[in-house]
Amino acid sequence: MHVFIVVVALLAAILLIGVILLQSPKSGSGLTGGMASMGTVQTLGVRRTGDFLSKMTAILAGLVMAICFIAQFTLPGKESDRAPVKSVLQQSLPAAPAAPAPATPAAPTLPVAPLAPIK
């Protein structure tokens, strides 16, 4: 379910980017300026195209925000649902067999004599 919601959010975001790029800037070029040469001004009208793109921008922006908000609550595997994961440092190593204590104490070793200086 979460993957479906994320895919829908991505598609809506891509459409939102496209609609924003189609809008005409303040200078008068853009979709409304480019459509005049194709003869579509008579059917849509320059003002109607701008209104349509503005409404689509608002609708798609609201849709993206709503879907992202919903996607947050459909995240799989919340902390209470899964077992805590231990890091490598937290995992206990298997107990090594203890070495048996020597029955008699070890004989002391003689101190090493200092070396004679080399001539």
Side-chain angles (χ1 to χ4, degrees):
M1 179 71 176
H2 180 72
V3 175
F4 174 74
I5 292 174
V6 170
V7 168
V8 170
L10 285 174
L11 289 175
I14 291 170
L15 283 173
L16 178 63
I17 291 169
V19 168
I20 289 173
L21 289 175
L22 287 175
Q23 288 183 5
S24 64
K26 298 280 182 186
S27 63
S29 61
L31 179 66
T32 55
M35 286 177 48
S37 63
M38 292 189 288
T40 55
V41 174
Q42 289 82 14
T43 55
L44 290 176
V46 176
R47 183 169 171 86
R48 288 185 146 191
T49 304
D51 290 343
F52 173 73
L53 291 175
S54 296
K55 288 179 184 178
M56 284 302 297
T57 301
I59 291 169
L60 286 173
L63 184 68
V64 168
M65 287 190 289
I67 290 174
C68 290
F69 184 74
I70 292 169
Q72 175 64 32
F73 294 109
T74 62
L75 284 173
K78 299 190 182 205
E79 289 296 324
S80 61
D81 295 344
R82 57 184 167 173
V85 178
K86 290 185 177 181
S87 70
V88 175
L89 298 175
Q90 291 174 338
Q91 293 176 352
S92 62
L93 296 174
T104 59
T109 59
L110 297 174
V112 179
L115 295 175
I118 300 176
K119 294 182 185 181

